[in-house]
Each structure stands twice: as structure tokens, then as C-alpha cells.
Amino acid sequence: MLLRLLRTYSRAYRPWIIAVLIFQLASTIATLYLPSLNARIIDQGVARGDTDYIWRTGAVMLGVAFVQVIAAVIAVYCGSRTAMGLGRDVRRSVYRQVGSFSAREVGKFGAPTLITRNTNDVQQIQMLTLMGLNFMVMAPIMCVGGIVMALREDPGLSWLVWVSIPVMGVLLGIIVAKLMPWFRIMQDRIDGINGVLREQITGIRVIRAFVKERHETERFARANQQLTDISVQIGSLFVLMFPIINMIMHIATAAVLWFGGHRVDQGLIEVGALTAFLQYLLQILVAVMMGTFMMMMVPRAVVCAERITEVLSTEPTMHPPAHPVDPASHHGTLEFHDVTFQYPGAEAPVLDRISFSAVPGQTLAIIGATGSGKSSLVNLIPRLFDPVAGKVTLDGVALTEYPPQELASSVGLVPQKPFLFSGTIASNLRFGRQEATDDELWEALAVAQADEFVREKPEGLNSPISQGGTNVSGGQRQRLCIARAIVTAPRVYVFDDSFSALDVTTDAKLREALRPVTRQSTVVTVAQRVSTITGADQILVLEHGRITARGTHRELLDSSDTYCEIVESQLSAEQSTGGRS
Ligand SMILES: Nc1ncnc2c1ncn2[C@@H]1O[C@H](COP(=O)(O)OP(=O)(O)OP(=O)(O)O)[C@@H](O)[C@H]1O
């Protein structure tokens, strides 16, 4: 998974990677050459008192060291560019993929893990690439080159090399095998803590209102402790790792000096060669150490690559049509034909064989108990979900065959939970139609009964809006969302309980102002308050996902007991008796 991901995304950086290889090779060869030059200075210069030789070889050493530094700097630069670019590309792909997800896929993963996967997980891959390009090239060359050079200096001490490397290798294998599942748990726990934090920050007001701070603090503490526990567990292996490597290096040094000293004594090698051998052995072990460091990162990166690939390979269930059909007319006639809808994983459908049609210039209202499926129904209109059976058409064309852009500009949804983006009031209002003029924005605000409070703000249309629109009140947010839909001038307006946060007077004024604006359009409105839908041309009564009655307010008062119950529970006794007579 990791290799496939790296292979795919490193393709664009081939020239840079080749440059890294060349310069790392140059730098490593230079590093390997230095101890042997040093040995020659000792054996042929110092031991024989040949100052000229020392100067000449010293100058060569200086030149080699200079080449090594320059090559290393260039290699690190190229490696960093590659790693950062690769990270950016993976992030972009994940972002695009998540952008193509329908609510179904987003619901399957959950927002916190999608965020972690596109930030923390990609960062792990980026780090591995960076370290890999810097160390993974250098470490094997240094290791093999070091072995060759060390054996050239004294084959008699070669057994020291053959013993120390496998010891390190076995240790590494054990540790990497242990780390792999732990890293998977760690990434899951990062998801967990992100999820808790996100929920708590979003619901901070509710938490305070219900004095649940202590409970929530404990919940966070639990998630935090779980992450800490696994981090400590992983850390304890890291802590063990480096002393073990150090110990092996010290034992190897002592062994080289002990056995090498005897060989010098016996005249089998010279002091300079012994020094070079020691330096090579240490270089080999440092290379193994670097490899170890890399290996430590690999298990975590493998887990991250799996998680990223899972996102990238998830097929969005909602496809844009292969051959989009442009409707012959653009009026806004909306029809549901025997539509059944079920949430993924749910046991039963939430909408059962729903059929109705709504025509331009008319208002269709949907009323029903909480949980009866009103929001689910209207969410099908902008194609947030697709029905599992039946079809929804707009001007005679099934939504599944609509060009996505066309559908987006045809349906203006004001969601139940109004949401604004960080920016300004103007940038939010222009969300659906960038070219709208300031005058048009003010007109929309006036209809939405929001112009007054916007005018009161010193910066007017340019007043800042914070993420989610948290710096305006619930009612103001709702009105701005209504204004945003008006600016788009869609063929179908969908108001999902969009007037609930407004007081009765503002609600009435807004409705009055909306009438001329929506004259040419179809209006679908979900309402809790009967008073807001009495003027609707058609009212659907929804019960457990089924339409149990339909008609105008008057017709329903005569025909639907459920509707009458709702009316009686909401309107004053005077109004309801007046209506029945
Ligand atoms: N994302 C979801 N996944 C699974 N089930 C869901 C999801 N959203 C809603 N439901 C379920 O679908 C049913 C209908 O919900 P819906 O939100 O459409 O009702 P509603 O009539 O709009 O309610 P309200 O008036 O409270 O907004 C409920 O039983 C709800 O639990």
C-alpha cells in the first residue's frame, strides 16, 4: 500500500529523485573516502615523517570534504522539495476525493478521521519520504561501501562486521514487528481524540447549558489518556532502542581496539589502517542506526498509507451522470415518483413510496412529527442523497441525469442547521452566484429581513463572519442563509424549517416579502408551525415516512385527523374552530 502510494505520487518528481540519488552517492562516496585518506596520512605521512605527503593528502582530504558538504546540501534540498511536493499532491488528491463524496461516504468515515487522514497521516508519508530520500539512499551505500572499505583495510577483523550487523538486524526486526499494530492503534486514537474535541467545541454551548463540563472533561481525559498510554508504550520501545544500538557500537569499538591492537602488535596491520577500520565500522553502524530510525517510521507510514488509500479508493456512490441531460424547459416543476429512501446501515426506509408534484408559482409545505422524514425528503431535492427506489425529476429530467452544476444552481436549499463560511457577509451571500452586485445583495437581505442588522454593522456587507457563522445569532444566521438562497435565484426553493428561529412578526414579514421573489419558482417548505403554512397551495402530512394526507389547509382540516391534531395543539382554540366551520 505504502509502496504503491509512493510510486504513484513520486512519478512527477523523478528528475528530483535522480538528483538526490546522484548527490547522495557523491556525498557518501566522499564520506567513505575520508577515513582511508586519514589512514594514509598516518601510515605514510606521520609514521615516515613525510611532511610533503601529509600536506598533499591533507589538501585532497579538504577537497573531498568540501565536495561531500556541497553534495549533501544539494541532495537534502532536492529531497525536501520532493517530499513536500509529494505531500501536497497526496493532500490535494484526498481533498478532491472527499469533495466528491456524498453524505453517505462522509457519514461512513466521519469528519474527524477524514481530517486526520488528510493532515496527520499525509504528514507521516511526507516525513518518511523526506527521511527516506536523505537516509535510505545514504544508509545502504554507506553500509555496503563501509564493509568493502573496512575489509580492504583488514580482512582479518571482518568477523566483527559480520557479527555486529546481524545483531542489530534481529533487534530491528523484533521492534518493527511490535510497533506496527501499536501505530495503527495510535492513529485510531488520534482520530478518537479529534472526534471528541470536535464534538465538544461544536457543542460547547449545549455543554455549558446542561452543566456537563465535568462529564465532557472526563470524556476528553479518557481519550487523552488512551492516546498517552499508546504513545508511552511506543516511546518505551524507542527509549530501549537507542541504548541498545549505542551499547553495540561501544562493544564493537572496544572489540576493534582489543583485537586490532593485537594485530598491530603482531605486525599484521598498521595503526592508520586500524583507525580507518574503526571509522568504517562506526560508519556502518551509524548507517544501520539511520536505517533503524527509518524503519521506525515505516510501520506508522504503512498504517497511514493504508488509511489514505482507503479514502482514495472509496468509490463515491453518487456519480455525476455520464451523459448529462439538459431539460427542455427550465420552469422548476419538481416531481417525486414512488420514492423510497433508506440511510446506509439503517434497518428500515425513512421514506416510503413518496409521490407528489410541485409546480412553479406554488408553495408545497411538508408537515409532520419530529423524525417523520421531512428533512430526509427535502435533502433528496439537491441530491444530497439518492433514493433507493423511485425517482425525483426536475422539469421532467431525473436528478441523477442532471448536470451537477445545473442542479446546484436550480435548487436553493436553506438547511435546517444554517451554516455560514468564514469570510464576510458579502462572500457568503455570493456563494451561489459570484457575479451578484451589491444592490442585489441588499435586495436579498431586505427580503430576508436581514438588511437592518447588516446596515447597523460598521462594515456593512464586508462585516466578517467567523467559521460556521458563530459570530451572528441563530436567527440572523438563518436569515443570511435565506438571503444566500435568494441571491442564487433558483428555480426551486427548499426551506427546511428555515423560519424556526424567527419571531412570529419577522416570520410573517419575511414570508410576505418572499412571495413576489418566488413567484416564478417552486417553493418547498418544511414547517413545524402550522401558522406558517396555512397559505400553502399544497400541504403534505408526513407520518413515519409516508404521506398520510395532502391538500390545502382547509381541505386537510376536513380530511385529516392528524393535521387537525397538529393544528389544535398549535393554533389558538379560536383559530382552529374558525377554520373548521
Ligand atoms: N444520517 C442519518 N443516518 C441514519 N438515520 C438518519 C440520519 N438522519 C436522519 N435519520 C433518521 O431518519 C428519520 C427521519 O429523520 P429526519 O431528519 O428526516 O426527520 P424530520 O422529520 O426532519 O425531523 P425533525 O422535524 O426533527 O427535523 C429519523 O428516524 C432519523 O433518526
Side-chain angles (χ1 to χ4, degrees):
M1 219 53 104
L2 175 65
L3 279 180
R4 199 177 328 145
L5 192 78
L6 290 177
R7 228 186 0 246
T8 310
Y9 284 90
S10 62
R11 246 172 239 148
Y13 299 94
R14 248 183 223 155
W16 291 96
I17 295 172
I18 291 171
V20 174
L21 290 177
I22 293 171
F23 286 103
Q24 281 290 8
L25 188 70
S27 158
T28 314
I29 290 173
T31 310
L32 286 169
Y33 191 32
L34 288 172
S36 98
L37 284 175
N38 193 35
R40 273 193 245 154
I41 288 182
I42 295 171
D43 295 339
Q44 290 170 39
V46 179
R48 296 178 193 169
D50 185 347
T51 322
D52 253 13
Y53 186 86
I54 295 174
W55 275 111
R56 261 184 288 121
T57 317
V60 174
M61 266 186 97
L62 208 63
V64 172
F66 183 71
V67 168
Q68 191 270 329
V69 169
I70 297 293
V73 168
I74 297 175
V76 169
Y77 173 76
C78 297
S80 304
R81 274 202 71 133
T82 307
M84 298 307 134
L86 187 141
R88 179 198 54 205
D89 295 351
V90 177
R91 256 193 307 275
R92 187 167 46 201
S93 294
V94 175
Y95 176 79
R96 284 196 184 142
Q97 181 73 358
V98 173
S100 73
F101 281 173
S102 70
R104 184 182 291 246
E105 289 82 47
V106 174
K108 181 189 133 199
F109 282 102
T113 182
L114 288 175
I115 295 171
T116 319
R117 287 175 202 223
N118 205 14
T119 49
N120 186 294
D121 289 17
V122 175
Q123 202 179 347
Q124 297 303 324
I125 303 291
Q126 194 170 306
M127 282 293 289
L128 181 87
T129 313
L130 182 66
M131 304 295 266
L133 287 173
N134 286 332
F135 291 149
M136 257 208 248
V137 181
M138 192 210 280
I141 302 174
M142 186 96 107
C143 202
V144 176
I147 293 172
V148 172
M149 297 298 275
L151 297 188
R152 246 180 47 150
E153 295 298 338
D154 184 14
L157 287 175
S158 64
W159 64 272
L160 281 172
V161 175
W162 306 131
V163 170
S164 46
I165 294 178
V167 169
M168 280 224 187
V170 169
L171 269 172
L172 262 183
I174 296 170
I175 285 173
V176 167
K178 265 194 166 304
L179 278 177
M180 195 84 154
W182 290 357
F183 276 129
R184 189 181 302 277
I185 296 171
M186 185 167 179
Q187 291 308 112
D188 285 346
R189 290 192 182 168
I190 293 175
D191 278 353
I193 201 164
N194 277 352
V196 171
L197 203 57
R198 187 173 183 273
E199 192 175 41
Q200 290 177 344
I201 293 171
T202 320
I204 188 86
R205 290 187 204 177
V206 183
I207 294 170
R208 293 216 178 112
F210 284 84
V211 201
K212 281 284 183 191
E213 284 99 336
R214 206 167 141 188
H215 172 261
E216 290 302 318
T217 309
E218 280 168 11
R219 204 154 75 93
F220 180 78
R222 261 200 308 279
N224 198 5
Q225 190 56 46
Q226 284 173 347
L227 179 60
T228 310
D229 288 347
I230 191 73
S231 307
V232 168
Q233 211 170 322
I234 290 171
S236 49
L237 259 194
F238 272 91
V239 166
L240 257 185
M241 192 64 212
F242 288 101
I244 290 175
I245 292 174
N246 266 336
M247 197 178 70
I248 295 172
M249 284 174 79
H250 290 314
I251 292 174
T253 308
V256 169
L257 292 178
W258 174 263
F259 294 105
H262 279 95
R263 287 173 69 77
V264 172
D265 231 16
Q266 291 157 13
L268 295 172
I269 56 166
E270 291 186 74
V271 178
L274 179 63
T275 319
F277 186 91
L278 181 60
Q279 278 176 342
Y280 284 127
L281 185 63
L282 291 182
Q283 274 181 358
I284 295 165
L285 294 181
V286 166
V288 175
M289 220 170 98
M290 284 196 265
T292 311
F293 197 63
M294 281 296 315
M295 294 297 248
M296 300 265 192
M297 298 183 70
V298 170
R300 191 167 181 192
V302 168
V303 173
C304 292
E306 276 171 20
R307 285 159 48 98
I308 292 169
T309 310
E310 196 186 350
V311 175
L312 291 176
S313 59
T314 297
E315 277 288 318
T317 43
M318 214 174 282
H319 300 283
H323 307 289
V325 180
D326 241 339
S329 65
H330 291 78
H331 298 302
T333 304
L334 176 75
E335 285 168 302
F336 272 52
H337 305 269
D338 267 333
V339 168
T340 298
F341 173 67
Q342 184 164 355
Y343 282 105
E347 284 175 9
V350 289
L351 295 174
D352 188 12
R353 285 164 287 155
I354 301 284
S355 294
F356 66 84
S357 64
V359 292
Q362 293 199 348
T363 297
L364 173 105
I366 303 167
I367 196 162
T370 171
S372 54
K374 303 182 294 292
S375 296
S376 307
L377 189 154
V378 295
N379 282 343
L380 300 180
I381 303 172
R383 226 191 143 201
L384 297 185
F385 292 97
D386 277 339
V388 290
K391 69 175 175 178
V392 183
T393 62
L394 181 58
D395 289 323
V397 173
L399 298 188
T400 45
E401 289 167 21
Y402 246 79
Q405 207 52 40
E406 169 83 16
L407 183 63
S409 60
S410 303
V411 178
L413 170 72
V414 182
Q416 193 173 29
K417 284 190 212 142
F419 190 88
L420 297 171
F421 291 88
S422 52
T424 61
I425 290 181
S427 70
N428 270 285
L429 295 183
R430 288 202 176 98
F431 208 67
R433 193 157 66 87
Q434 280 304 314
E435 66 281 7
T437 63
D438 278 5
D439 286 345
E440 286 173 319
L441 300 190
W442 281 115
E443 275 168 34
L445 287 170
V447 173
Q449 308 299 305
D451 54 336
E452 225 169 88
F453 91 85
V454 176
R455 254 182 244 286
E456 276 168 18
K457 289 183 179 281
E459 293 172 77
L461 284 175
N462 292 322
S463 308
I465 293 288
S466 56
Q467 209 175 51
T470 46
N471 60 340
V472 288
S473 78
Q476 291 171 340
R477 203 158 47 234
Q478 240 178 13
R479 279 178 277 169
L480 288 176
C481 287
I482 294 169
R484 181 173 61 191
I486 295 170
V487 170
T488 317
R491 279 184 269 160
V492 182
Y493 282 90
V494 181
F495 298 109
D496 186 359
D497 209 5
S498 313
F499 311 105
S500 58
L502 310 180
D503 59 83
V504 180
T505 323
T506 314
D507 185 347
K509 276 198 212 160
L510 199 157
R511 224 168 273 280
E512 193 55 42
L514 258 180
R515 208 161 292 146
V517 176
T518 57
R519 189 166 291 136
Q520 307 287 322
S521 313
T522 305
V523 178
V524 178
T525 178
V526 169
Q528 299 282 356
R529 285 203 295 256
V530 175
S531 61
T532 61
I533 57 163
T534 48
D537 301 284
Q538 192 185 178
I539 301 170
L540 305 181
V541 180
L542 209 59
E543 282 183 84
H544 304 297
R546 286 203 183 146
I547 297 176
T548 53
R550 66 179 83 203
T552 60
H553 174 65
R554 285 197 157 271
E555 287 164 359
L556 286 173
L557 284 173
D558 290 331
S559 62
S560 168
D561 288 342
T562 313
Y563 189 72
C564 288
E565 274 170 32
I566 299 171
V567 172
E568 271 157 23
S569 67
Q570 289 186 7
L571 294 181
S572 66
E574 191 188 343
Q575 279 172 303
S576 55
T577 44
R580 287 203 105 163
S581 60

